[in-house]
Structure formats: structure tokens, C-alpha cells
Amino acid sequence: MSTNTLMSKINKHIQENFWLYIVSILCVFTGIILGMYSVKYMGEFEQNDLVNYLTSFIDPSNANGISYKLIFLQSIKNNLPVIIFLWFLGLTIVGIPIIIIIDLLKGFTVGFTFSFMISGLGKSGIGIAILGVLPQNIIYIPCIIFASVVSMEFSIMLLKDKFNKQWTSSITSRIVYYSLIFIVIIIFLFIGIIIESYIAPYFVKNLINNLGSVSK
């Protein structure tokens, strides 16, 4: 498939599902804003606990160093089930409300993490947030949005077919095509997982070492 054909299909998909993209994007960004504001209203005790945990985790004097393999496995555990669950929800016909909640939660997690690092660690937190949180989420967020839209689109298609009584043998080929799209999404997701596991921690480690210590 040529690049022009691929771009044409992507543009067509966006045009046909414009409002689904709007809904998904709005949910993610609403979640980000809610996550950022939730840090502001955290109790001092809870915030101090999290700051102490975070500073001990990224302390340059920590003899154990960074376990890239552990981060990799945790990143898979945190992200892969979400995409698989979105795939499943697209097959359920009634999964759209849950898809919207997943988008909100993903946005909330990103917003909370980013805001907490800046709020809890001050100037050092800005660099850590930019290098440690932002890079992989440049991949994750589009993957979540695209997977959400594809899932909602498929769910709506199944619902229309059911009401119109148009269930045919072609449903199997549609599910296969739908699943192949999710396999492609998972491939892109793993780019984000590799960034989160091996690239972002390396840059954060160098930043912490250059700063000498994490302080406000």
C-alpha cells in the first residue's frame, strides 16, 4: 500500500468518524484537566507521602539503580490490557459508555502524574515530567484515542446491523479486519512502551545526576 493510499484511508476514516474523535479527544483532555486539579486539592499529608516516595524512587544515591526490565514489564501491564479491553468493548455493542470512561481515566492519569511531579518537585519536576512522562504519552494518547474511535465505530456498526437485521456471514471478516487494526495499534503502543522503559528513564537518570539531588 502506497503512502498516498494510506493517508487517503486515514483521512477518510477521520472524516467518517469526526464526532467520535471529538468525543474521545474531549474525554481525554477533560481527564487531564481533572487530574491536574486533583493535585491542587490533595491533602498535605497525602501529597508529602507521595513526594517522599517519588524522591526515594529517583534518588541518584539509590544503589539499586533503574531496573529497565521491571519498568518494561510494568508498562506492558499498565497499557496493553487497556487496548485489549477496548478491542473487547467494540464487540459488545453496549461498550461505548465504558470506552468514554477509559478515555477520561487515561487523561486523568496523565494530568495527575504531570501536575504532581511539577507541584511536588518544583523546578526539578518540570524536567522530570517533560522527559519522564511526556515522550511515551505522545504515543500512548493517540493510540488510546484511535483505539477508542475504532472500537466505538465497530460497536455502532454492530448495533445498526442488529436493528436493520443485516447480520451476515461477512461479520467474521469484519471482526478479523477490526482485530488486525488493533494489532497495528498494539505495535505502535510498544513503541511508547520502549520509550517509557528504556529511553525516558535514561534521560531522567542523567537529569537527576546533573542536578545532584531532587529539590524544590
Side-chain angles (χ1 to χ4, degrees), residues 20 42 60 62 80 102 109 111 137 146 153 156 159 185 187 204:
L20 293 180
M42 276 180 69
N62 186 347
L80 187 58
I102 289 172
T109 304
N137 279 295
F146 185 64
E153 178 192 21
I156 291 168
L159 191 61
I185 293 170
I187 291 169
V204 170

Side-chain angles (χ1 to χ4, degrees), residues 138-158:
I138 292 173
I139 305 292
Y140 290 155
I141 291 175
C143 282
I144 290 289
I145 290 171
F146 185 64
S148 298
V149 171
V150 171
S151 183
M152 286 189 283
E153 178 192 21
F154 195 78
S155 185
I156 291 168
M157 182 270 293
L158 291 179

Side-chain angles (χ1 to χ4, degrees), residues 50-149:
L50 282 171
V51 169
N52 291 335
Y53 171 77
L54 186 60
T55 52
S56 66
F57 180 73
I58 59 176
D59 190 340
S61 65
N62 186 347
N64 295 325
I66 296 172
S67 174
Y68 296 103
K69 183 180 177 181
L70 261 173
I71 298 173
F72 180 75
L73 293 174
Q74 188 62 44
S75 184
I76 291 174
K77 185 179 175 182
N78 290 342
N79 294 285
L80 187 58
V82 176
I83 298 297
I84 293 172
F85 191 43
L86 286 170
W87 169 82
F88 172 75
L89 289 171
L91 301 173
T92 63
I93 299 180
V94 292
I96 291 177
I98 305 174
I99 294 168
I100 289 171
I101 291 170
I102 289 172
D103 288 346
L104 281 167
L105 289 174
K106 178 59 182 177
F108 182 89
T109 304
V110 174
F112 179 87
T113 306
F114 203 92
S115 181
F116 176 75
M117 283 187 171
I118 294 172
S119 173
L121 301 176
K123 291 180 181 179
S124 301
I126 296 173
I128 293 168
I130 290 171
L131 294 176
V133 178
L134 190 60
Q136 61 267 26
N137 279 295
I138 292 173
I139 305 292
Y140 290 155
I141 291 175
C143 282
I144 290 289
I145 290 171
F146 185 64
S148 298
V149 171

Side-chain angles (χ1 to χ4, degrees), residues 154-209:
F154 195 78
S155 185
I156 291 168
M157 182 270 293
L158 291 179
L159 191 61
K160 285 179 179 177
D161 283 357
K162 186 175 181 179
F163 276 117
N164 295 330
K165 297 181 179 178
Q166 292 179 345
W167 294 94
T168 64
S169 57
S170 66
I171 190 65
T172 303
S173 60
R174 288 182 183 183
I175 291 173
V176 169
Y177 182 70
Y178 169 72
S179 301
L180 286 173
I181 292 172
F182 269 84
I183 290 171
V184 173
I185 293 170
I186 288 170
I187 291 169
F188 278 99
L189 185 80
F190 265 90
I191 295 172
I193 289 172
I194 289 167
I195 292 171
E196 182 178 8
S197 306
Y198 297 100
I199 299 173
Y202 173 80
F203 285 116
V204 170
K205 181 181 176 183
N206 284 337
L207 175 64
I208 297 301
N209 288 335

Side-chain angles (χ1 to χ4, degrees), residues 37-53 112 116 119-120 216:
Y37 269 94
S38 69
V39 172
K40 184 178 178 181
Y41 294 105
M42 276 180 69
E44 188 176 344
F45 178 78
E46 291 86 355
Q47 194 170 66
N48 287 338
D49 263 2
L50 282 171
V51 169
N52 291 335
Y53 171 77
F112 179 87
F116 176 75
S119 173
K216 282 192 177 184

